[in-house]
Amino acid sequence: MSPSQAGSAALPFAAVDLGASNGRVMLGSVTDGHLTLHEAHRFPNRPVRVNGTLYWDILALHRGVLDGLREAGRAAGGLAGVGIDSWAVDYGLLDASGALLGNPVHYRDERTRGAERRVHEVLSPAELYEATGLQHLPFNTVYQLVAAQGSPQLAAARRLLLIPDLIAYWLTGREGTELTNASTTQLIDPRTRDWSPVVAERLGIDLGLFAPLRRPGDPAGELLPQVLAETGLPGPVPVTAVGSHDTASAVAGIPAQGERFAYIATGTWSLAGMELDAPVFGEDSRRANFTNELGVDGTVRYLRNIMGLWLLQECVREWAAADGPRDLAPLLADAARAEPLRSVVDAEDPEFLAPGGMPERIARACRATGQPVPRDPAETVRCVLDSLALAHRAAVRDAQRLSGREADTVHIVGGGARNELLCQLTADACGLPVVAGPAEAAALGNVLVQARAAGAVRGGLAELRALLRARLPLRRHEPAGDQAAWERAAARIGRGGKD
């Protein structure tokens, strides 16, 4: 522990947690084995479409981070440290002077159309999976970079920084590439936990664009003098690399006991799978579209990306645009009374990736599979939640089958942990008890990695998770209902027999 950390042992850590719809700065403390967390500041994350391209408003996000650090420091009298996590795959490009070359493009933008074909002409999907173990997603960084080849921006770029690393660079002036997030680029070999020269060379991607790799717990610099002045914080304030992919921090923040658990990190996406000691390769794993992303303390997040609460968020946004704001609680209550499993859709279908027109796209998918079309918002919400539960069921069962490890509990963390109907439906579909909470798992994992690096807590993931179990109110949902009904529903969308 450095003198500055020792002198500020009573001060809290700031977890900067950037999500697809909002950002938060959370204050967390670990004192005498007691863990506390509360929100200091929240700000919106509103993408912007310009001339047909969808961008992240990265400067607005940075402004929100600075405002949040100011509020956090004002509330606590200072900070023991800062850690940053965010969504994956997207990046900013810097020129030789360190200036940003335009706003980062949003992963939901359509610029990667055609890039998959170009990549697979050079590296087949099987070869790409054997090299990186990563799930095929059309917006993975490797496809974004191939799509950008020949562009003036990429030609002028000296450095590529993933989103949390870009924010950290602006706060500290230090460049780095945190490993858990780098593992989502499809340029990392999870066996070596280093870059894959095979993929980079075959696709003409310059690995020199990336800053040196950091691991969770590594120092990432200190807040710059101008940042201290802007936020009113007394310095020095260290910045620590955490699991900067928010799912890596969220999995570290799961209050699990032992190894026999599956997890679903819910929010805009549902990331469902298991925590393993080593990656899983092979054609069965590739065909099941499972990914081997890297986690805290040398773990592997063996999981599948599912469209998640994006489906519900987009429906609510569409209804609000037409009829005014909608309160989610009455919609969920009506959905709980709606006929179960009347209609389901494939929550992993790329048809649902883009924004706009979600209720009609869900209706169209129901028609295409010969199912009743939802007649009102309640039935649409029930269709979404039943469909997500089905997708969770398939992913949890596939993860056990492919990894050879059994689960006796499913942990749901993130925003979906607050959705009691979704949690119960997931328990029913999986035939396993679901432990719901914490909703703020990413921020908690972020804080715990910082606290351990500062010497405020010791031990591995088991010890960190014991702290969470001692502190957190958790809800347990026991499975109920007819498993055969879920099997029949899965068969309607072509997902029967995958267990």
Side-chain angles (χ1 to χ4, degrees):
M1 185 185 303
S2 71
S4 63
Q5 290 170 321
S8 60
L11 293 174
F13 299 91
V16 177
D17 181 28
L18 303 178
S21 57
N22 62 72
R24 294 87 52 81
V25 177
M26 309 289 288
L27 278 173
S29 297
V30 183
T31 307
D32 298 326
H34 297 289
L35 176 64
T36 61
L37 184 77
H38 71 272
E39 184 178 296
H41 184 63
R42 181 179 292 259
F43 48 95
N45 182 2
R46 299 191 184 99
V48 180
R49 191 175 295 278
V50 179
N51 292 331
T53 299
L54 189 63
Y55 297 96
W56 296 106
D57 191 351
I58 194 68
L59 295 182
L61 286 176
H62 184 57
R63 175 76 271 163
V65 170
L66 293 174
D67 291 344
L69 293 177
R70 184 188 311 108
E71 291 301 316
R74 185 178 298 159
L79 295 175
V82 177
I84 305 158
D85 66 76
S86 85
W87 69 94
V89 305
D90 292 332
Y91 58 84
L93 296 171
L94 306 181
D95 69 11
S97 72
L100 183 67
L101 290 163
N103 278 335
V105 178
H106 197 297
Y107 63 82
R108 293 191 192 275
D109 185 72
E110 295 184 353
R111 70 169 174 160
T112 54
R113 284 192 175 184
E116 292 174 79
R117 176 185 51 78
R118 291 164 58 189
V119 168
H120 297 160
E121 286 173 350
V122 177
L123 280 169
S124 72
E127 290 175 309
L128 199 53
Y129 195 81
E130 176 58 28
T132 65
L134 209 69
Q135 173 184 9
H136 169 70
L137 291 168
F139 46 72
N140 286 344
T141 314
V142 70
Y143 298 116
Q144 294 194 38
L145 286 171
V146 168
Q149 284 176 344
S151 68
Q153 281 186 333
L154 190 57
R158 178 194 62 87
R159 180 68 78 213
L160 181 154
L161 294 176
L162 300 168
I163 297 300
D165 300 320
L166 177 60
I167 298 294
Y169 169 66
W170 283 339
L171 294 179
T172 67
R174 296 257 306 266
E175 297 175 349
T177 305
E178 194 279 317
L179 182 60
T180 70
N181 212 0
S183 73
T184 71
T185 61
Q186 213 157 19
L187 287 165
I188 290 282
D189 184 336
R191 291 159 294 208
T192 64
R193 305 179 75 83
D194 205 344
W195 300 109
S196 170
V198 172
V199 173
E201 289 169 11
R202 296 274 295 275
L203 296 177
I205 294 171
D206 179 12
L207 290 178
L209 279 172
F210 292 88
L213 289 170
R214 297 168 173 155
R215 272 76 178 167
D218 285 351
E222 294 182 346
L223 296 186
L224 291 165
Q226 58 264 38
V227 174
L228 295 174
E230 177 88 6
T231 58
L233 287 165
V237 178
V239 176
T240 299
V242 296
S244 74
H245 184 196
D246 51 12
T247 307
S249 279
V251 173
I254 291 172
Q257 188 164 14
E259 297 180 344
R260 291 173 60 91
F261 71 94
Y263 62 81
I264 306 167
T266 61
T268 300
W269 292 87
S270 282
L271 300 106
M274 303 185 78
E275 183 178 74
L276 303 178
D277 300 321
V280 177
F281 286 87
E283 188 64 6
D284 285 349
S285 183
R286 184 185 74 82
R287 288 188 178 278
N289 215 18
F290 264 75
T291 201
N292 292 276
E293 296 173 0
L294 299 180
V296 172
D297 287 2
T299 56
V300 173
R301 293 175 284 128
Y302 187 60
L303 59 88
R304 187 156 65 210
N305 282 261
I306 299 162
M307 208 66 68
L309 288 170
W310 164 256
L311 300 172
L312 179 57
Q313 293 162 355
E314 278 293 285
C315 286
V316 172
R317 187 178 68 82
E318 194 87 5
W319 295 327
D323 303 316
R326 291 284 187 123
D327 189 346
L328 185 58
L331 278 173
L332 292 174
D334 290 343
R337 292 187 289 269
E339 181 183 346
L341 298 172
R342 178 176 181 267
S343 306
V344 291
V345 298
D346 182 356
E348 297 176 53
D349 191 335
E351 166 64 21
F352 301 124
L353 180 62
M358 190 64 73
E360 176 52 35
R361 279 188 278 163
I362 289 170
R364 191 162 59 239
C366 291
R367 288 190 201 97
T369 50
Q371 300 178 85
V373 171
R375 293 167 293 194
D376 55 32
E379 288 190 349
T380 299
V381 172
R382 185 57 186 250
C383 173
V384 166
L385 297 183
D386 281 344
S387 301
L388 287 178
L390 266 181
H392 294 166
R393 171 186 186 266
V396 167
R397 294 190 175 191
D398 282 347
Q400 293 176 85
R401 173 177 60 84
L402 293 163
S403 70
R405 177 177 288 180
E406 293 186 358
D408 52 28
T409 307
V410 178
H411 283 266
I412 293 185
V413 298
R418 297 190 182 100
N419 189 322
E420 293 196 32
L421 179 55
L422 177 61
C423 292
Q424 184 60 55
L425 291 174
T426 298
D428 297 346
C430 292
L432 291 170
V434 163
V435 176
E440 301 293 355
L444 286 162
N446 181 321
V447 165
L448 285 172
V449 168
Q450 289 189 72
R452 187 175 63 178
V457 63
R458 290 178 171 80
L461 285 172
E463 288 73 25
L464 300 185
R465 287 167 173 160
L467 270 177
L468 293 168
R469 290 195 302 278
R471 179 258 181 198
L472 296 171
L474 304 172
R475 293 193 323 276
R476 187 177 176 92
H477 299 261
E478 296 294 339
D482 180 2
Q483 280 292 304
W486 289 98
E487 188 67 36
R488 290 191 297 271
R492 278 187 255 149
I493 55 171
R495 290 204 165 270
K498 285 200 173 185
D499 303 339

